[in-house]
Amino acid sequence: MKIAFTQDGVQRLRHEDRVYRHLQEAGVSGIPSLLGFLENPDASLCVLFLSDCGSHLESGWSTGKLICHQRRSSSFHIHSPPCVKRFLVREDLTSILASIHDAGILHRDVRSWNILEDAEGRVRFTDFDRGSFQARPKDYLAEKQRLERFLRGEFVDRADIIGQDDLGETYPIDL
């Protein structure tokens, strides 16, 4: 649940609601489900209701700070070592970001606290208040590269990507 008490905050939540609705209509998975949006225009108050998707990933998680994780398969548990989990999360996040981009949305704020993981190990992107319906091909590429840098364990949380010029910056990838 996200709550806004100011005019600016209300506008950002309205925008985020539109982005989530667009992504859900496009069939994008790997994002929280939009459960509702309530607004009281007289009080400059609104609430965005989203499904609970766990807690955020730690920055630097892919460098080995992660402990073994249990993946559920029917009625028994398969214990995956961290390197296997990191590979699975890498594939999931890369695929989710591609589907977000295919739906015509640029997230514009890929950081560890905007990537959630639930108890079963499913990951989701969240926090689309900066999301953009209009982006250039190089912006999508820059965002994909930012995710790849994060997945390699580079610290990207302090790097701000608000402006379009920042989004157009590209980074070398060595996979």
Side-chain angles (χ1 to χ4, degrees):
M1 175 170 56
K2 294 177 85 171
I3 302 172
F5 299 100
T6 65
Q7 286 287 16
D8 182 52
V10 167
Q11 286 194 333
R12 287 174 56 168
L13 277 189
R14 278 188 201 136
H15 174 74
E16 189 166 7
D17 176 62
R18 283 191 300 273
V19 173
Y20 274 113
R21 287 181 193 282
H22 175 81
L23 291 171
Q24 284 185 334
E25 289 171 8
V28 173
S29 60
I31 60 171
S33 296
L34 178 63
L35 303 175
F37 181 79
L38 298 174
E39 181 175 1
N40 181 343
D42 297 331
S44 292
L45 171 72
C46 71
V47 182
L48 181 68
F49 295 95
L50 303 167
S51 60
D52 181 14
C53 296
S55 58
H56 67 85
L57 291 176
E58 286 184 38
S59 184
W61 68 274
S62 64
T63 59
K65 294 181 182 175
L66 223 49
I67 59 172
C68 283
H69 177 74
Q70 298 178 5
R71 282 181 106 38
R72 296 173 199 251
S73 176
S74 52
S75 62
F76 62 93
H77 299 291
I78 300 171
H79 297 278
S80 300
C83 60
V84 173
K85 179 180 176 0
R86 287 192 299 272
F87 175 77
L88 295 171
V89 169
R90 172 186 298 273
E91 294 301 306
D92 289 348
L93 288 175
T94 302
S95 174
I96 294 166
L97 187 63
S99 66
I100 291 168
H101 289 171
D102 289 346
I105 298 294
L106 188 69
H107 187 279
R108 295 189 64 216
D109 198 17
V110 173
R111 303 171 198 251
S112 64
W113 56 78
N114 291 334
I115 301 171
L116 304 175
E117 181 180 32
D118 66 16
E120 281 78 41
R122 291 182 301 250
V123 290
R124 292 176 180 85
F125 280 92
T126 190
D127 199 15
F128 286 88
D129 63 328
R130 294 182 182 182
S132 175
F133 288 93
Q134 298 177 345
R136 304 167 294 190
K138 70 179 186 175
D139 299 333
Y140 292 116
L141 176 61
E143 188 162 85
K144 178 182 173 188
Q145 290 172 331
R146 181 183 178 90
L147 176 63
E148 287 298 328
R149 289 176 40 233
F150 170 74
L151 292 171
R152 286 196 307 264
E154 294 180 33
F155 187 75
V156 299
D157 286 349
R158 290 197 183 156
D160 199 12
I161 55 165
I162 296 173
Q164 287 293 324
D165 291 338
D166 296 330
L167 289 169
E169 185 178 347
T170 58
Y171 306 92
I173 301 177
D174 59 336
L175 299 177

